[in-house]
Amino acid sequence: MFRDDLLRDERILVTGGGGDLGRAMAARFLDLGASVVLCGRSPERLDAALAAPAIARHAERATALPCDLRDPAAVAAMMERIWQDGPLTVLVNNAAANFIAQTERLSARAADAILGPSLHGALYATLEAGRRWIDAGDRGTVLSILSTSARTGRAFTAPSEMAKAGLEAMTKSLAVEWGPKGIRMVAIAPGAFETETAARQLRPGAGDGDEGGFAGLAEWIPDGRLGRTDELADLAAFLLSGPAAHITGETIAIDGGAHLRSSGAEDLLRWPQEKWDAVRQRR
Ligand SMILES: CCCCCCCCC/C=C/C(=O)SCCNC(=O)CCNC(=O)[C@H](O)C(C)(C)COP(=O)(O)OP(=O)(O)OC[C@H]1O[C@@H](n2cnc3c(N)ncnc32)[C@H](O)[C@@H]1OP(=O)(O)O
Ligand SMILES: NC(=O)C1=CN([C@@H]2O[C@H](COP(=O)(O)OP(=O)(O)OC[C@H]3O[C@@H](n4cnc5c(N)ncnc54)[C@H](OP(=O)(O)O)[C@@H]3O)[C@@H](O)[C@H]2O)C=CC1
């Protein structure tokens, strides 16, 4: 679909690069000639990502740095370390945290567990990259991974929807403010992609034969299926490439049209209280 050297001149940080979608994007960027840095909290998850065949075959262009994005000093130190080897050209804000819960039962700590990485962490990373690009007069691109719920809202994951809508506002605001400085801001709003954590965090089983997961979601989606990680990775690669140079401030949904019909959580409104209690008990 793309020329093999489409991203040859890019050096890309993928936050949450040890996760499923982050790893798929990183592998695609490497295939297209980019250098990639992965970050996340868990060194084990990062090591596993680097060892995955799709990434390991480009080992000379792939590295990883553990970093907790909730800590602004840690984000600054990571960027300092990265820039010692040369500037990034792209930041992909992919890391996030999410789980379903009855919102009135969330503690402040639980709300912050979502907003910390998903909103604040992405902003810290954007500020650290943006200020370095601006100081050096370099061009740069920020791609943020949102969710279609930035448009629809979604019941039982309100803090995550607030974070994603906040990142969409960041994308539009900085497209205008930083556009004249050569910085492009783009975003992708995925629908349902059956990653291991998304299924566990958003569709946990309640036990007694109910093991949860994304089975059943496909029937709500106009084209009848979930998204594939290679499709998301290809869209990301396009948005980072030269032919997309005039696209900024824009969010592209990739969900088979699902959000035009449903936020994807309406069935949870019918859950009896006992099921919420069982899910809470099981975590
Ligand atoms: C659907 C349709 C699709 C349709 C379309 C699909 C769209 C999907 C959109 C988006 C999908 C995603 O983002 S999927 C990506 C998901 N990925 C992740 O979440 C990866 C990272 N996750 C994590 O780190 C953890 O799972 C997470 C719990 C979120 C944070 O961990 P921490 O160590 O920071 O936090 P902890 O110390 O464990 O907990 C902090 C507080 O949060 C509370 N807490 C933790 N889990 C809780 C839970 N399940 N319910 C209530 N409260 C919870 C704890 O009790 C603590 O509060 P106190 O008890 O008061 O102390
Ligand atoms: N899967 C889906 O259906 C959808 C996903 N999305 C979005 O796509 C992105 C990727 O999701 P997905 O691959 O499914 O989920 P994953 O959980 O696999 O990936 C998220 C990654 O974020 C990292 N992360 C979480 N907290 C922090 C932190 N404090 N500091 C650094 N890294 C952190 C995690 O690594 P670690 O725990 O090691 O820190 C994890 O690897 C997210 O932004 C998500 O909201 C949007 C819509 C749908």
Side-chain angles (χ1 to χ4, degrees):
M1 176 176 174
F2 299 124
R3 273 195 353 235
D4 287 350
D5 63 349
L6 187 77
L7 301 177
R8 188 190 51 201
D9 299 326
E10 309 301 335
R11 184 158 181 251
I12 304 174
L13 171 62
V14 181
T15 71
D20 289 348
L21 297 184
R23 197 195 278 209
M25 285 188 282
R28 193 73 183 109
F29 301 157
L30 287 161
D31 283 343
L32 296 170
S35 299
V36 166
V37 184
L38 311 177
C39 85
R41 286 169 304 176
S42 155
E44 294 75 27
R45 242 191 298 279
L46 293 174
D47 286 345
L50 289 178
I55 293 186
R57 67 170 182 242
H58 303 293
E60 72 290 353
R61 286 186 277 116
T63 55
L65 287 172
C67 177
D68 187 337
L69 293 164
R70 295 172 297 188
D71 175 358
V75 177
M78 171 181 66
M79 292 297 195
E80 204 53 46
R81 175 69 200 83
I82 290 172
W83 250 263
Q84 280 169 8
D85 299 332
L88 290 175
T89 61
V90 175
L91 164 66
V92 180
N93 287 318
N94 167 72
N98 203 356
F99 53 75
I100 56 163
Q102 292 172 300
T103 302
E104 67 277 14
R105 295 176 87 178
L106 288 177
S107 66
R109 275 199 76 229
D112 287 347
I114 308 299
L115 292 170
S118 307
L119 181 63
H120 293 263
L123 177 58
Y124 300 150
T126 303
L127 296 177
E128 291 294 339
R131 99 169 36 101
R132 283 175 173 78
W133 288 326
I134 290 166
D135 287 349
D138 287 341
R139 305 181 79 77
T141 303
V142 178
L143 166 64
S144 296
I145 306 302
L146 313 180
S147 158
T148 49
S149 50
R151 297 179 183 174
T152 60
R154 187 176 293 133
F156 306 111
T157 47
S160 176
E161 313 329 338
M162 294 166 68
K164 299 300 189 181
L167 290 187
E168 185 163 29
M170 178 182 82
T171 301
K172 293 181 197 167
S173 304
L174 296 184
V176 174
E177 186 178 339
W178 287 357
K181 299 175 194 294
I183 297 173
R184 218 157 51 82
M185 303 290 301
V186 286
I188 294 175
F193 286 70
E194 187 155 22
T195 64
E196 195 233 318
T197 40
R200 190 181 64 229
Q201 304 287 89
L202 301 176
R203 293 285 152 160
D208 288 341
D210 169 13
E211 291 317 313
F214 276 11
L217 276 187
E219 72 189 48
W220 299 357
I221 302 176
D223 71 3
R225 64 173 177 89
L226 303 182
R228 296 198 319 258
T229 56
D230 60 300
E231 294 173 318
L232 181 93
D234 278 339
L235 175 58
F238 166 70
L239 284 173
L240 301 182
S241 71
H246 201 47
I247 300 176
T248 192
E250 189 61 37
T251 300
I252 299 189
I254 176 167
D255 72 336
H259 76 282
L260 301 173
R261 179 173 176 183
S262 154
S263 78
E266 281 67 29
D267 59 325
L268 305 185
L269 291 164
R270 293 193 295 274
W271 276 16
Q273 188 59 43
E274 303 78 62
K275 182 155 177 180
W276 284 110
D277 292 341
V279 162
R280 198 177 157 94
Q281 206 71 47
R282 287 190 102 205
R283 70 177 164 85

